[in-house]
């Protein structure tokens, strides 16, 4: 009986201690922090939320997604032309010796050929040259 009573008292002590520590951690509001003799319970200042004004006209769901067949074909043609242009530009880029010549090892400029005693480890390609 004594053992159960001791365990119960320990449990209540731990619970009371945890509750006291929890109460210490809570922050006081501004009204509680600034209390004086003139206004002991000063109300908090409440700011009205600022509404953002949208300058752009919002499009409705129908105008955005309810396109005619002609409009979708025009959009598709524009996308295909842009992709073709991008592909041609990439092909021109790949013709440069930086990409086509294997002696560049991925460098923008061709690496120098140094004497065996002065060669350095290259961080860019991982080769000593």
């Amino acid at each position: 009986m004594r053992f159960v009573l001791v365990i119960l008292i320990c449990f209540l002590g731990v619970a009371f201690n945890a509750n006291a520590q929890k109460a210490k951690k809570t922050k006081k509001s501004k009204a509680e922090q600034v209390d004086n003799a003139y206004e002991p319970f000063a109300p908090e200042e409440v700011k009205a939320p600022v509404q953002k004004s949208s300058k752009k006209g919002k499009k409705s769901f129908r105008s955005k997604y309810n396109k005619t067949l002609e409009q979708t074909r025009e959009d598709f043609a524009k996308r295909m032309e842009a992709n073709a242009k991008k592909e041609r530009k990439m092909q021109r880029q790949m013709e440069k010796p930086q990409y086509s010549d294997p002696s560049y090892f991925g460098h923008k400029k061709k690496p120098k050929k140094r004497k065996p005693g002065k060669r350095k480890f290259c961080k860019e390609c991982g080769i000593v040259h």
Side-chain angles (χ1 to χ4, degrees):
M1 184 69 181
R2 289 183 194 168
F3 183 70
V4 174
L5 188 61
V6 170
I7 291 175
L8 182 64
I9 291 172
C10 290
F11 180 73
L12 289 175
V14 169
F16 179 74
N17 189 16
N19 193 17
Q21 287 180 359
K22 185 178 180 184
K24 286 180 186 176
K25 289 182 181 178
T26 57
K27 294 183 179 179
K28 296 180 180 179
S29 65
K30 287 184 179 180
E32 293 175 4
Q33 290 177 355
V34 185
D35 51 335
N36 54 27
Y38 298 111
E39 293 182 359
F41 300 107
E44 290 185 26
E45 295 179 16
V46 179
K47 294 183 179 179
V50 179
Q51 293 180 351
K52 295 181 181 178
S53 62
S54 61
K55 295 181 181 177
K56 296 180 181 178
K58 294 184 178 178
K59 293 184 178 180
S60 66
F61 179 78
R62 287 187 180 184
S63 67
K64 202 180 242 187
Y65 294 105
N66 193 12
K67 294 183 179 180
T68 62
L69 185 60
E70 292 174 8
Q71 287 175 337
T72 54
R73 285 182 180 165
E74 288 173 8
D75 292 345
F76 176 74
K78 286 179 184 176
R79 283 197 311 270
M80 294 308 288
E81 287 174 10
N83 287 341
K85 184 179 176 183
K86 193 187 298 183
E87 186 68 28
R88 285 193 302 268
K89 188 174 181 182
M90 260 183 11
Q91 287 296 329
R92 269 187 275 130
Q93 201 67 340
M94 289 297 162
E95 288 174 3
K96 291 183 178 179
Q98 173 186 355
Y99 302 106
S100 59
D101 189 5
S103 64
Y104 276 67
F105 303 112
H107 293 272
K108 198 166 190 175
K109 295 179 181 176
K110 199 170 185 178
K112 294 179 180 178
K113 291 184 179 178
R114 293 189 172 89
K115 295 178 182 177
K118 292 190 174 183
R119 289 188 178 177
K120 302 175 187 175
F121 178 76
C122 180
K123 294 176 185 175
E124 194 171 338
C125 61
I127 300 173
V128 177
H129 51 83

